[in-house]
Amino acid sequence: MQNDSFLRACRGERPERTPIWLMRQAGRYLPEYRAVRARVSFEELCRSPDLCAEVTLQPIDRLGVDAAILFSDILVVFDALGVDVRFEPSPVIAAPVRTRADVDRLQWIDPREACHYVYAAVRACKAALADRVPLIGFCGAPFTTLSYLVEGKTSREFEHVKSLMFCEPGLFGHLMERLTDLLIDYLRGQVEAGVDALQVFDSWAGALAPDDYREHVHPHTARLCAAVREFGVPLINFTRGNANLLAFAAETAADVVGVDWSIELDRAIDVVGPERVVQGNLDPFALLGPPALVERKARAVVAAGRRAKAHIFNLGHGISRHTDPTIARLLVDTVHDA
């Protein structure tokens, strides 16, 4: 690997400079990505391995980040359930799963068959990267995956998934168990195809109170992380939206604890402990500010990260589509120089 600083940090080492990559770093803020999307739909892009490789490498060439993340979407795994997802541009599930009869209709296909294009994209990305930087694969956490399946779209209230959890906890738990098994198999396939690290995105965990998360969700996420750690690549567990859940993320077997922007990084290190590797956590909308502000905030995050065993710089969530790519490059350079 020509640049292994990200992997070294995942292992708890301290590279010469803080490694950085950005969630959604291959996306709509890049004109070269928009040029590809002008030719194909999002669904077509996710299912075209050569195009996935092309857009995965775009921020490597433009920004100089220390890791690539596979271009895909957490919901393509629904192909293994026989569930149709459309992106309009946010995901929409035509037939949400809310009853036992709905659950019984799910197909549970081997993801290596149903999501074969994902693994082909991994191989295409690895070939195109030629070991310049590591490639990160990913999945949604069980609860986030379940939330989309039950709500049918992005939600603010999470009424349907909470109703299922509170009113039919047995069915909720059964579905979480089956989804966890599916996600383990899905990530195993990504490792077999060649990814160098993995991240679990629990984007909607913040919808739950800590007690409910502890009882209904944490055991499944912990089991996922424990199983995936056995695959031999570093694992990042990123829980978004409720700083009170950070301690649960730290209890899992993940190598790296992802931190969102809702808590200062030094306070997050107090929660997870200085012996843990952390990733994060600049507010992505800070990149819409002037260059001096971006530099100041980036240096503050790097300084705070020095209290952890190791630190991987990232945003507290995905980069905004309104970000100027030159500011994103400024961020990378500032982190590397800090």
Side-chain angles (χ1 to χ4, degrees):
M1 191 72 63
Q2 298 172 35
N3 176 358
D4 67 348
S5 61
F6 165 78
L7 293 177
R8 289 168 58 198
C10 287
R11 295 192 295 263
E13 301 174 21
R14 278 283 179 178
E16 295 74 18
R17 61 186 193 180
T18 300
I20 174 174
W21 67 279
L22 309 175
M23 287 181 275
R24 288 202 208 118
Q25 65 187 15
R28 290 179 290 174
Y29 74 105
L30 292 176
E32 52 267 47
Y33 172 83
R34 296 196 297 270
V36 173
R37 282 284 283 108
R39 308 196 312 265
V40 296
S41 69
F42 184 80
E43 292 89 339
E44 291 171 317
L45 177 53
C46 287
R47 289 165 172 78
S48 303
D50 290 341
L51 289 179
C52 283
E54 179 181 339
V55 298
T56 295
L57 265 67
Q58 287 172 349
I60 310 303
D61 298 327
R62 180 184 276 264
L63 304 182
V65 288
D66 298 298
I69 183 165
L70 173 70
F71 184 85
S72 187
D73 190 272
I74 63 171
L75 298 190
V76 299
V77 75
F78 283 178
D79 282 357
L81 300 176
V83 172
D84 179 57
V85 184
R86 292 170 285 112
F87 294 86
E88 303 179 345
S90 298
V92 177
I93 289 84
V97 174
R98 296 174 181 169
T99 68
R100 186 169 295 277
D102 294 335
V103 173
D104 290 342
R105 282 194 292 269
L106 296 174
Q107 296 182 19
W108 306 104
I109 306 166
D110 186 333
R112 283 165 290 195
E113 174 188 343
C115 304
H116 58 88
Y117 52 87
V118 173
Y119 308 122
V122 170
R123 293 188 288 270
C125 287
K126 287 293 291 182
L129 283 167
D131 283 337
R132 291 167 59 190
V133 296
L135 177 66
I136 305 168
F138 64 92
C139 75
F143 177 72
T144 290
T145 306
L146 178 66
S147 294
Y148 277 109
L149 188 64
V150 174
E151 295 293 335
K153 58 184 179 180
T154 301
S155 175
R156 292 188 178 184
E157 302 296 333
F158 296 88
E159 173 186 358
H160 298 291
V161 72
K162 288 187 179 184
S163 177
L164 182 66
M165 184 178 70
F166 292 134
C167 299
E168 296 194 62
L171 183 59
F172 178 91
H174 168 73
L175 192 49
M176 287 284 283
E177 190 79 15
R178 294 293 305 274
L179 284 173
T180 300
D181 290 339
L182 176 66
L183 294 168
I184 290 169
D185 287 343
Y186 180 56
L187 292 183
R188 181 187 288 111
Q190 292 186 36
V191 174
E192 291 171 349
V195 299
D196 302 292
L198 292 165
Q199 175 157 310
V200 174
F201 285 87
D202 212 349
S203 303
W204 302 127
L208 297 178
D211 284 351
D212 297 322
Y213 183 89
R214 178 191 297 112
E215 178 180 356
H216 297 284
V217 173
H218 180 60
H220 303 283
T221 303
R223 182 167 73 87
L224 172 71
C225 291
V228 171
R229 268 294 300 276
E230 299 301 314
F231 300 160
V233 301
L235 174 65
I236 306 162
N237 182 15
F238 175 67
T239 302
R240 173 180 175 245
N242 186 341
N244 292 316
L245 302 181
L246 191 58
F248 295 115
E251 290 176 2
T252 69
D255 299 275
V256 182
V257 180
V259 182
D260 79 352
W261 46 260
S262 66
I263 183 173
E264 294 88 349
L265 189 60
D266 54 353
R267 290 183 56 213
I269 294 168
D270 289 337
V271 173
V272 306
E275 74 285 354
R276 298 303 303 269
V277 180
V278 296
Q279 176 178 279
N281 70 330
L282 182 68
D283 185 335
F285 288 99
L287 298 183
L288 304 185
L293 178 141
V294 172
E295 292 183 67
R296 174 172 59 81
K297 285 185 171 291
R299 292 182 185 278
V301 171
V302 172
R306 293 194 177 103
R307 290 187 52 234
K309 183 177 183 180
H311 174 218
I312 300 159
F313 194 103
N314 209 314
L315 302 176
H317 196 232
I319 189 168
S320 166
R321 64 189 177 93
H322 302 294
T323 302
D324 182 340
T326 61
I327 295 294
R329 179 69 199 222
L330 172 66
L331 174 66
V332 174
D333 292 341
T334 301
V335 170
H336 283 161
D337 293 341

